[in-house]
Amino acid sequence: RAGARHLFGGRLQIAIDPGRVLRKVTSEAAGCLRGAFLVSGLDALPTAPVSALYTYSDMEDIARYGAEWRSTRLGQWLLACLAAGRPPFVRGARLTNEAEIEAYYRGYLTMFESMRDHGYRYDGTDHMCFGIRADGDFVLVRRGTHRLAAAHILGLKQVNGMVTQIDRRFAEAARAKAPD
């Protein structure tokens, strides 16, 4: 991918209607894509519907319950982990008490409210990574599942990300249409 970034630069950054990204490559399958830009058989990799991801359920609950984190499936799961003596390890941190759970939840609530009030504005370094399948459809490869789910739920018309994989057949067809 570094070669692709060097060759294409900012042209790999895209703004896309989240409605065009309906599936996510499974995490197991995404592991085999590391370091690859042109991919044979991107279409054949296992995917899951974005609407079936647990992160989608998290964002549905945030939309429904707002700051009432204890009412959400995420809040209940995290509390159950604590009660069972298994503090959950999430996003690189172990949550050991209810205040930490609430702070973790509020991060997603703040993101959702910002997207609702201002649209998609993301300045972080972990951009959503998209793949272009042979038929030209987009698939989420990694990162940003909560952001993409929130964009779907909110009906946003645009999210930003990076094209990190392209199916070889799509690239060949695009090159045949525009050889220069």
Side-chain angles (χ1 to χ4, degrees):
R1 274 193 311 241
R5 253 184 255 135
H6 176 72
L7 182 63
F8 295 111
R11 290 178 289 191
L12 294 177
Q13 296 176 350
I14 62 168
I16 186 171
D17 179 343
R20 292 189 63 195
V21 186
L22 300 177
R23 302 192 68 82
K24 180 184 184 297
V25 174
T26 65
S27 55
E28 297 81 19
C32 73
L33 296 174
R34 291 181 201 245
F37 181 68
L38 288 177
V39 178
S40 295
L42 185 59
D43 298 51
L45 293 178
T47 62
V50 169
S51 61
L53 301 173
Y54 73 88
T55 50
Y56 194 93
S57 297
D58 290 348
M59 298 316 290
E60 284 181 318
D61 278 1
I62 286 171
R64 183 177 303 119
Y65 297 110
E68 299 298 322
W69 66 271
R70 292 173 189 275
S71 299
T72 67
R73 289 168 278 201
L74 174 63
Q76 292 169 12
W77 174 74
L78 294 170
L79 286 171
C81 289
L82 278 185
R86 295 185 319 269
F89 188 73
V90 294
R91 310 284 286 166
R94 189 154 313 276
L95 304 181
T96 60
N97 59 55
E98 289 187 22
E100 291 172 350
I101 290 172
E102 184 175 5
Y104 171 74
Y105 176 86
R106 285 203 175 277
Y108 289 116
L109 175 61
T110 299
M111 176 199 67
F112 183 84
E113 290 173 338
S114 174
M115 289 175 70
R116 179 195 63 211
D117 298 343
H118 307 288
Y120 190 84
R121 296 180 183 174
Y122 186 73
D123 295 324
T125 58
D126 61 336
H127 294 285
M128 285 187 267
C129 298
F130 299 109
I132 303 175
R133 296 165 34 128
D135 60 7
D137 283 347
F138 286 85
V139 63
L140 182 66
V141 176
R142 59 188 163 81
R143 298 183 183 151
T145 55
H146 283 94
R147 286 176 269 157
L148 184 61
H152 277 236
I153 291 165
L154 292 166
L156 297 184
K157 297 299 177 201
Q158 178 179 307
V159 296
N160 302 321
M162 300 287 292
V163 173
T164 57
Q165 278 81 26
I166 296 178
D167 189 280
R168 195 171 291 280
R169 290 180 296 161
F170 177 83
E172 289 167 358
R175 185 166 183 220
K177 287 181 184 176
D180 295 332

